[in-house]
Amino acid sequence: MEHYYQPEIECAPYEEIRKIQSEKLVKQVKHVWDNVPYYRKKMEEKGVTPDDIKSVDDLHKLPFLSKADLRETYPDGLLAVPKDEVVRIHSTSGTTGKRVIAFYTQHDIDLWEDCCARAIMAAGGTNEDVVQVSYGYGLFTGGAGLHGGSHKVGSLTVPMSSGNTDRQIMFIKDLNATILCCTPSYAAYLGERMHELGYGPNDIPLKAGIFGAEAWSEEMRQSIEKTMGIKAFDIYGLTELSGPGVAFECSAQHGMHINEDHFIAEIIDPDSGEVLPEGEQGELVFTAVDKEAFPMIRYRTKDICRLSREKCSCGRTHVRMAKPMGRSDDMLIIRGVNVFPSEIETVLLNNGYAANYQIVVDRVNNTDTLDVQVEMTPEMFNDNVGEIEERQKKLMADLKSMLGIKAKVSLLAPKSIARSEGKAVRVVDKRKI
Ligand code: DLL
């Protein structure tokens, strides 16, 4: 049976959602015009005023916001309410440049937690579940978001945060945790450790996982599901828009429903900025129509994916986004060819490897090199050189046919690549160092 947290809105007819979006958009643009001088200036430069925005159809008239705007206005140049109305901040991991600081009023937190509650119930969660939250707590939004959502559902919430893997497993078993929330790479690590400790899928009480915050392949989903004996659901979000729960998977496990009453999604051509027709692949752009403290209008996520309005078997009507291929800035250009790390992951898992790999890119004699380093599983690991060479050849051939370019393959001993407790670092690009 499908569970919903807010069925009246999650299953509302599209025309009704569109009407809600239009009303909220008109109000939100006024709010930003009145309270965020930086964005008002951007609107003025584009020759648009709040009077020009009467419905969602006018959205394309508004200027984009990008990471560069967020950097320029750091720390609080986009804050749209007086500081005394702000109750919390979160911040991005900020691997490049300055971190982004996102501000929340109590109302913003409430709506964000509702979104996470929708995701938990779509994964089958109810007030009878025990939800172990193993995303990081603190500045990262993963822990706080799913924690709040779990409270709203009324589940017993276990605020583990990430790390201390054996203790995580002990709590899952001792408290009979039924839903696990963490990054997919940490879920894979937890699964590996459970296996080492001798626990098979039937020894683990978990029934579902809510995994996101990084790109992960369909093959990785199947592998985690098998090891833990669970259903693994994808969840998407970003700090700038609140955190996890912007979109989430339902029982159909075929794309993530975007919470359209709060976020209007567009797909644009990343080069020209033109809005693309439904179904085409491009950069995802969001307008947050409810956020008070940190409103984002036409925010360019850099995530590459496509949208679909096909009817979903779960009964939800909100548009679905496909698994993001990765961020446009994660995309590697190797000898002129575009390569997404997720494509490499697909090849590795299809060949029976686990998701313990690293992609090392370098430039030697003015030519880009691509080295895919992957651990063998304990079953594969032996000293038969011929067998290892065969494996290497097979992987190189499969990578060539997936990517269109040649990659070097290094097969490593089990456990030689560091495991991730949060977002995994898959790519080392030495050309940038
Ligand atoms: O990762 C929020 C989050 C926490 C989402 C927990 C899901 C679960 P940031 O750290 O700001 O926020 O990173 C946002 O991560 O633009 C995507 O590139 C990537 N990302 C997030 N979810 C997914 C996903 C959180 N399900 C950035 N699949 C986004 C692929 C994802 N990429």
Side-chain angles (χ1 to χ4, degrees):
M1 199 190 61
E2 192 75 32
H3 300 286
Y4 309 97
Y5 180 65
Q6 290 165 317
E8 61 301 334
I9 188 73
E10 292 178 65
C11 304
Y14 178 53
E15 305 71 59
E16 197 181 313
I17 294 169
R18 190 102 181 148
K19 195 165 155 265
I20 294 173
Q21 287 182 333
S22 288
E23 284 166 13
K24 288 183 176 179
L25 177 67
V26 170
K27 269 177 70 184
Q28 185 70 317
V29 170
K30 284 208 182 78
H31 171 53
V32 172
W33 174 271
D34 290 341
N35 296 298
V36 185
Y38 182 87
Y39 195 75
R40 180 183 183 140
K41 188 160 160 272
K42 286 193 82 137
M43 284 176 66
E44 282 168 346
E45 278 164 12
K46 213 168 176 239
V48 42
T49 71
D51 290 339
D52 298 316
I53 309 300
K54 302 205 162 50
S55 78
V56 181
D57 295 331
D58 300 317
L59 189 59
H60 69 277
K61 297 178 183 164
L62 290 161
F64 291 118
L65 270 178
S66 68
K67 200 83 156 195
D69 294 303
L70 267 57
R71 279 200 199 107
E72 203 174 317
T73 52
Y74 178 90
D76 59 3
L78 292 175
L79 183 60
V81 297
K83 276 251 174 71
D84 62 357
E85 287 176 30
V86 177
V87 297
R88 200 195 297 165
I89 65 135
H90 282 282
S91 177
T92 56
S93 38
T95 39
T96 50
K98 274 208 174 106
R99 287 169 171 268
V100 169
I101 299 183
F103 298 85
Y104 304 72
T105 63
Q106 186 55 50
H107 185 249
D108 293 333
I109 300 251
D110 265 343
L111 298 191
W112 173 29
E113 292 179 351
D114 285 346
C115 289
C116 289
R118 290 180 192 175
I120 292 171
M121 291 198 69
T126 68
N127 59 352
E128 289 175 8
D129 280 287
V130 176
V131 177
Q132 181 150 320
V133 183
S134 307
Y135 285 110
Y137 278 62
L139 288 173
F140 180 53
T141 54
L146 269 309
H147 180 102
S150 172
H151 272 230
K152 289 232 173 180
V153 174
S155 311
L156 197 168
T157 310
V158 186
M160 287 298 288
S161 197
S162 57
N164 211 332
T165 302
D166 283 2
R167 192 176 62 190
Q168 299 267 0
I169 296 169
M170 186 183 87
F171 269 69
I172 289 173
K173 285 191 66 75
D174 293 352
L175 292 171
N176 273 322
T178 47
I179 299 182
L180 172 67
C181 306
C182 62
T183 60
S185 50
Y186 194 37
Y189 177 23
L190 280 164
E192 178 186 50
R193 185 72 189 136
M194 285 170 182
H195 184 73
E196 279 172 5
L197 294 172
Y199 301 133
N202 294 331
D203 307 314
I204 299 161
L206 293 171
K207 65 175 186 190
I210 303 179
F211 305 138
E214 60 187 359
W216 54 309
S217 60
E218 212 40 62
E219 290 74 17
M220 186 152 167
R221 184 211 304 267
Q222 283 158 21
S223 153
I224 297 171
E225 288 190 333
K226 206 166 119 216
T227 317
M228 293 197 194
I230 60 171
K231 248 186 123 158
F233 296 85
D234 201 351
I235 183 166
Y236 168 90
L238 51 158
T239 314
E240 293 88 326
L241 293 177
S242 60
V246 171
F248 60 86
E249 242 176 10
C250 61
S251 57
Q253 289 184 306
H254 191 63
M256 294 179 268
H257 291 282
I258 294 173
N259 283 307
E260 281 193 284
D261 49 330
H262 303 308
F263 305 105
I264 308 176
E266 299 169 279
I267 293 280
I268 62 160
D269 176 326
D271 298 323
S272 69
E274 284 303 307
V275 179
L276 297 176
E278 194 204 301
E280 286 199 22
Q281 178 167 295
E283 179 179 348
L284 194 49
V285 171
F286 280 110
T287 299
V289 284
D290 279 305
K291 290 182 70 202
E292 294 177 336
F294 199 57
M296 288 285 113
I297 295 197
R298 300 200 86 203
Y299 181 63
R300 294 185 59 156
T301 62
K302 294 201 167 164
D303 291 321
I304 303 292
C305 79
R306 56 180 93 233
L307 301 179
S308 162
R309 275 207 183 274
E310 266 172 43
K311 197 165 181 265
C312 184
S313 58
C314 77
R316 289 179 184 80
T317 47
H318 293 200
V319 70
R320 274 175 292 167
M321 59 181 270
K323 262 185 180 306
M325 289 278 292
R327 302 170 62 81
S328 53
D329 46 6
D330 284 347
M331 189 185 74
L332 297 163
I333 303 182
I334 297 166
R335 303 195 285 277
V337 176
N338 298 348
V339 172
F340 278 103
S342 55
E343 298 173 310
I344 295 178
E345 181 176 300
T346 296
V347 171
L348 297 177
L349 272 81
N350 274 337
N351 275 282
Y353 297 84
N356 298 314
Y357 67 92
Q358 203 153 46
I359 299 164
V360 182
V361 184
D362 204 350
R363 184 165 286 150
V364 181
N365 299 332
N366 289 323
T367 305
D368 298 330
T369 58
L370 170 64
D371 183 8
V372 177
Q373 308 184 339
V374 59
E375 275 180 20
M376 286 179 277
T377 62
E379 297 77 45
M380 293 173 184
F381 188 52
N382 61 35
D383 49 14
N384 183 336
V385 179
E387 201 180 304
I388 292 181
E389 275 174 7
E390 275 312 304
R391 286 192 177 284
Q392 240 163 351
K393 266 198 209 144
K394 168 82 170 58
L395 268 188
M396 281 171 74
D398 286 4
L399 285 167
K400 174 93 202 299
S401 84
M402 169 69 100
L403 311 174
I405 54 164
K406 217 171 133 190
K408 180 177 165 224
V409 168
S410 310
L411 294 178
L412 310 179
K415 291 279 167 74
S416 33
I417 291 177
R419 300 294 184 261
S420 148
E421 296 171 350
K423 299 190 192 224
V425 180
R426 304 287 195 200
V427 179
V428 181
D429 195 339
K430 294 189 174 163
R431 297 173 301 185
K432 291 184 184 157
I433 298 172

Coordinates of all heavy atoms in Angstrom, one line a residue, residues 354-399:
A354 N 32.6 -4.0 -6.8 CA 31.8 -3.2 -5.9 C 32.2 -1.8 -6.2 O 33.2 -1.5 -6.9 CB 32.2 -3.6 -4.4
A355 N 31.4 -0.8 -5.6 CA 31.7 0.6 -5.9 C 32.9 1.1 -5.1 O 32.8 2.2 -4.5 CB 30.4 1.4 -5.7
N356 N 34.0 0.4 -5.1 CA 35.2 0.9 -4.5 C 36.2 1.2 -5.6 O 36.9 0.4 -6.0 CB 35.8 -0.1 -3.5 CG 34.8 -0.4 -2.4 OD1 34.2 0.5 -1.9 ND2 34.6 -1.7 -2.2
Y357 N 36.1 2.5 -6.1 CA 37.0 2.8 -7.2 C 37.4 4.3 -7.2 O 36.8 5.1 -6.4 CB 36.2 2.5 -8.5 CG 35.0 3.4 -8.8 CD1 35.1 4.6 -9.5 CD2 33.7 3.1 -8.2 CE1 34.0 5.4 -9.7 CE2 32.6 3.9 -8.4 CZ 32.8 5.1 -9.1 OH 31.7 5.9 -9.3
Q358 N 38.4 4.6 -7.9 CA 38.8 6.0 -8.1 C 39.2 6.3 -9.5 O 39.8 5.4 -10.1 CB 39.9 6.3 -7.1 CG 40.0 7.7 -6.7 CD 40.7 7.9 -5.4 OE1 41.7 7.3 -5.1 NE2 40.1 8.8 -4.6
I359 N 38.9 7.4 -10.0 CA 39.2 7.8 -11.3 C 40.3 8.8 -11.3 O 40.1 9.9 -10.7 CB 38.0 8.3 -12.0 CG1 36.9 7.3 -12.0 CG2 38.3 8.8 -13.5 CD1 35.5 7.8 -12.3
V360 N 41.5 8.5 -11.8 CA 42.6 9.4 -11.8 C 42.9 10.0 -13.2 O 43.1 9.2 -14.1 CB 43.9 8.8 -11.2 CG1 45.0 9.8 -11.1 CG2 43.6 8.2 -9.8
V361 N 42.8 11.3 -13.3 CA 43.0 11.9 -14.6 C 44.3 12.7 -14.5 O 44.5 13.4 -13.5 CB 41.8 12.8 -14.9 CG1 42.0 13.4 -16.3 CG2 40.5 12.1 -14.8
D362 N 45.1 12.7 -15.5 CA 46.3 13.4 -15.5 C 46.6 13.9 -17.0 O 45.9 13.6 -17.9 CB 47.5 12.5 -15.0 CG 48.6 13.4 -14.4 OD1 48.6 14.6 -14.6 OD2 49.5 12.8 -13.8
R363 N 47.7 14.7 -17.1 CA 48.1 15.1 -18.4 C 49.6 14.8 -18.6 O 50.4 15.3 -17.8 CB 47.8 16.6 -18.7 CG 48.1 17.0 -20.1 CD 47.5 18.4 -20.4 NE 46.1 18.3 -20.6 CZ 45.2 19.3 -20.3 NH1 45.7 20.4 -19.8 NH2 43.9 19.1 -20.5
V364 N 49.9 13.9 -19.5 CA 51.3 13.5 -19.7 C 51.6 13.8 -21.2 O 50.9 13.4 -22.1 CB 51.4 12.0 -19.5 CG1 52.9 11.5 -19.7 CG2 50.9 11.6 -18.1
N365 N 52.7 14.5 -21.4 CA 53.1 15.0 -22.7 C 52.0 15.6 -23.5 O 51.7 15.2 -24.6 CB 53.7 13.8 -23.6 CG 54.9 13.2 -22.9 OD1 55.6 13.9 -22.2 ND2 55.1 11.9 -23.1
N366 N 51.3 16.5 -22.8 CA 50.1 17.2 -23.4 C 48.9 16.3 -23.8 O 48.1 16.8 -24.6 CB 50.6 18.0 -24.7 CG 51.4 19.2 -24.2 OD1 51.2 19.8 -23.2 ND2 52.5 19.4 -25.0
T367 N 48.9 15.1 -23.3 CA 47.8 14.3 -23.6 C 47.1 13.9 -22.3 O 47.8 13.5 -21.3 CB 48.2 13.0 -24.3 OG1 49.0 13.4 -25.5 CG2 47.0 12.1 -24.8
D368 N 45.7 13.9 -22.3 CA 45.0 13.5 -21.1 C 45.1 12.0 -20.9 O 45.0 11.2 -21.9 CB 43.5 13.9 -21.2 CG 43.3 15.4 -21.3 OD1 44.2 16.1 -20.8 OD2 42.4 15.8 -22.0
T369 N 45.3 11.6 -19.6 CA 45.3 10.2 -19.4 C 44.1 9.9 -18.4 O 43.8 10.7 -17.5 CB 46.6 9.7 -18.7 OG1 46.8 10.4 -17.5 CG2 47.8 9.9 -19.7
L370 N 43.5 8.7 -18.5 CA 42.4 8.3 -17.6 C 42.8 6.9 -17.1 O 43.0 6.0 -17.8 CB 41.2 8.2 -18.5 CG 39.9 7.5 -17.8 CD1 39.5 8.4 -16.7 CD2 38.8 7.4 -18.9
D371 N 42.9 6.9 -15.7 CA 43.3 5.6 -15.1 C 42.1 5.3 -14.1 O 41.8 6.0 -13.2 CB 44.6 5.9 -14.3 CG 45.0 4.6 -13.6 OD1 44.5 3.5 -13.8 OD2 46.0 4.7 -12.8
V372 N 41.5 4.2 -14.4 CA 40.4 3.7 -13.5 C 40.9 2.7 -12.6 O 41.4 1.6 -13.0 CB 39.2 3.1 -14.4 CG1 38.1 2.5 -13.5 CG2 38.7 4.1 -15.4
Q373 N 41.0 3.0 -11.3 CA 41.5 2.1 -10.3 C 40.4 1.5 -9.5 O 39.6 2.2 -9.0 CB 42.4 2.9 -9.3 CG 43.5 3.8 -10.1 CD 44.4 4.5 -9.1 OE1 44.1 4.7 -8.0 NE2 45.6 4.9 -9.6
V374 N 40.3 0.2 -9.6 CA 39.2 -0.4 -8.9 C 39.7 -1.6 -8.1 O 40.6 -2.4 -8.5 CB 38.1 -0.8 -9.9 CG1 38.6 -1.8 -11.0 CG2 36.9 -1.4 -9.2
E375 N 39.1 -1.8 -6.9 CA 39.4 -2.9 -6.1 C 38.8 -4.2 -6.6 O 37.6 -4.2 -7.0 CB 38.8 -2.7 -4.7 CG 39.6 -1.9 -3.8 CD 39.0 -1.8 -2.4 OE1 38.1 -2.6 -2.1 OE2 39.3 -0.8 -1.7
M376 N 39.5 -5.3 -6.5 CA 38.9 -6.6 -6.8 C 38.1 -7.0 -5.5 O 38.5 -6.5 -4.4 CB 40.0 -7.6 -7.1 CG 40.6 -7.4 -8.4 SD 41.9 -8.6 -8.8 CE 43.3 -7.8 -8.0
T377 N 37.1 -7.8 -5.7 CA 36.4 -8.3 -4.5 C 37.3 -9.4 -3.9 O 38.1 -10.0 -4.6 CB 35.0 -8.9 -4.9 OG1 35.3 -9.9 -5.8 CG2 34.2 -7.8 -5.6
P378 N 37.1 -9.8 -2.7 CA 37.9 -10.9 -2.1 C 37.8 -12.1 -2.9 O 38.8 -12.9 -3.0 CB 37.3 -11.1 -0.7 CG 36.6 -9.8 -0.4 CD 36.2 -9.2 -1.7
E379 N 36.7 -12.4 -3.5 CA 36.5 -13.6 -4.4 C 37.4 -13.6 -5.6 O 37.9 -14.6 -6.1 CB 35.0 -13.8 -4.8 CG 34.1 -14.1 -3.6 CD 33.7 -12.8 -2.9 OE1 33.4 -11.8 -3.6 OE2 33.7 -12.8 -1.7
M380 N 37.6 -12.4 -6.1 CA 38.4 -12.2 -7.4 C 39.9 -12.3 -7.1 O 40.7 -12.5 -8.0 CB 38.1 -10.9 -8.0 CG 36.7 -10.6 -8.6 SD 36.7 -8.9 -9.1 CE 35.0 -8.8 -9.6
F381 N 40.2 -11.9 -5.9 CA 41.6 -11.6 -5.6 C 42.4 -12.9 -5.5 O 42.2 -13.7 -4.6 CB 41.7 -10.8 -4.3 CG 43.0 -10.3 -3.9 CD1 43.7 -9.6 -4.8 CD2 43.6 -10.6 -2.6 CE1 45.0 -9.1 -4.5 CE2 44.8 -10.1 -2.3 CZ 45.5 -9.3 -3.2
N382 N 43.4 -13.1 -6.4 CA 44.3 -14.3 -6.2 C 45.6 -13.9 -7.0 O 45.8 -12.8 -7.5 CB 43.7 -15.5 -6.8 CG 43.3 -15.4 -8.3 OD1 44.1 -14.7 -9.0 ND2 42.2 -16.0 -8.7
D383 N 46.6 -14.8 -7.0 CA 47.8 -14.5 -7.6 C 48.0 -15.1 -9.0 O 49.1 -15.2 -9.6 CB 49.0 -14.8 -6.7 CG 48.9 -16.2 -6.2 OD1 48.1 -17.0 -6.7 OD2 49.7 -16.5 -5.3
N384 N 46.8 -15.4 -9.7 CA 46.9 -15.9 -11.0 C 47.0 -14.7 -12.0 O 46.0 -14.0 -12.3 CB 45.6 -16.7 -11.3 CG 45.6 -17.3 -12.6 OD1 46.2 -16.8 -13.6 ND2 44.8 -18.4 -12.8
V385 N 48.2 -14.4 -12.5 CA 48.5 -13.3 -13.3 C 47.6 -13.3 -14.6 O 47.0 -12.3 -15.0 CB 50.0 -13.1 -13.6 CG1 50.2 -11.9 -14.5 CG2 50.8 -13.1 -12.4
G386 N 47.5 -14.4 -15.2 CA 46.7 -14.6 -16.4 C 45.3 -14.1 -16.2 O 44.7 -13.4 -17.0
E387 N 44.7 -14.6 -15.1 CA 43.3 -14.2 -14.8 C 43.1 -12.7 -14.6 O 42.2 -12.1 -15.1 CB 42.9 -15.0 -13.5 CG 41.4 -15.2 -13.4 CD 41.1 -15.9 -12.1 OE1 41.6 -17.0 -11.9 OE2 40.3 -15.4 -11.3
I388 N 44.1 -12.2 -13.9 CA 44.0 -10.7 -13.6 C 44.1 -9.9 -15.0 O 43.4 -9.0 -15.2 CB 45.0 -10.3 -12.6 CG1 44.6 -10.9 -11.2 CG2 45.1 -8.8 -12.5 CD1 45.5 -10.6 -10.1
E389 N 45.0 -10.4 -15.8 CA 45.2 -9.7 -17.1 C 43.9 -9.8 -17.9 O 43.5 -8.9 -18.6 CB 46.4 -10.3 -17.9 CG 47.7 -9.7 -17.5 CD 48.9 -10.4 -18.1 OE1 48.7 -11.3 -19.0 OE2 50.0 -10.1 -17.7
E390 N 43.3 -11.0 -17.9 CA 42.0 -11.1 -18.6 C 41.0 -10.2 -18.1 O 40.3 -9.5 -18.9 CB 41.5 -12.6 -18.4 CG 42.0 -13.6 -19.3 CD 42.0 -13.1 -20.8 OE1 40.9 -12.8 -21.3 OE2 43.1 -13.1 -21.5
R391 N 40.9 -10.0 -16.8 CA 39.9 -9.1 -16.2 C 40.2 -7.7 -16.6 O 39.3 -6.9 -16.9 CB 40.1 -9.1 -14.6 CG 39.5 -10.3 -14.0 CD 39.4 -10.1 -12.5 NE 38.8 -11.3 -11.9 CZ 37.5 -11.6 -12.0 NH1 36.7 -10.7 -12.6 NH2 37.0 -12.7 -11.6
Q392 N 41.5 -7.3 -16.6 CA 41.9 -6.0 -17.0 C 41.5 -5.7 -18.5 O 40.9 -4.7 -18.8 CB 43.4 -5.9 -17.0 CG 43.9 -4.8 -16.0 CD 45.3 -5.0 -15.6 OE1 46.0 -6.0 -16.0 NE2 45.9 -4.0 -15.0
K393 N 41.7 -6.7 -19.3 CA 41.4 -6.5 -20.8 C 39.9 -6.3 -20.9 O 39.4 -5.5 -21.7 CB 41.8 -7.8 -21.5 CG 43.2 -7.7 -22.1 CD 43.3 -8.8 -23.2 CE 44.8 -9.2 -23.3 NZ 45.0 -10.6 -23.6
K394 N 39.1 -7.2 -20.2 CA 37.7 -7.1 -20.3 C 37.2 -5.7 -19.9 O 36.3 -5.1 -20.6 CB 37.1 -8.2 -19.5 CG 35.6 -8.1 -19.2 CD 34.8 -8.8 -20.4 CE 33.3 -9.0 -20.1 NZ 32.5 -7.8 -19.8
L395 N 37.7 -5.2 -18.8 CA 37.2 -3.9 -18.3 C 37.6 -2.8 -19.3 O 36.8 -1.9 -19.6 CB 37.9 -3.6 -17.0 CG 37.1 -4.0 -15.7 CD1 37.8 -3.4 -14.5 CD2 35.7 -3.5 -15.8
M396 N 38.8 -2.9 -19.8 CA 39.3 -1.9 -20.8 C 38.4 -1.9 -22.0 O 38.0 -0.8 -22.5 CB 40.7 -2.1 -21.2 CG 41.7 -1.6 -20.1 SD 43.4 -2.1 -20.4 CE 43.8 -1.0 -21.7
A397 N 38.0 -3.1 -22.5 CA 37.1 -3.1 -23.7 C 35.7 -2.6 -23.3 O 35.2 -1.8 -24.1 CB 37.0 -4.6 -24.1
D398 N 35.2 -2.9 -22.2 CA 33.9 -2.4 -21.8 C 33.9 -0.9 -21.6 O 32.9 -0.2 -22.0 CB 33.3 -3.1 -20.6 CG 32.9 -4.5 -20.8 OD1 33.1 -5.0 -22.0 OD2 32.4 -5.2 -19.9
L399 N 35.0 -0.4 -21.0 CA 35.0 1.1 -20.8 C 35.1 1.8 -22.2 O 34.5 2.8 -22.4 CB 36.3 1.4 -20.0 CG 36.1 1.1 -18.5 CD1 37.4 1.2 -17.7 CD2 35.1 2.1 -17.8

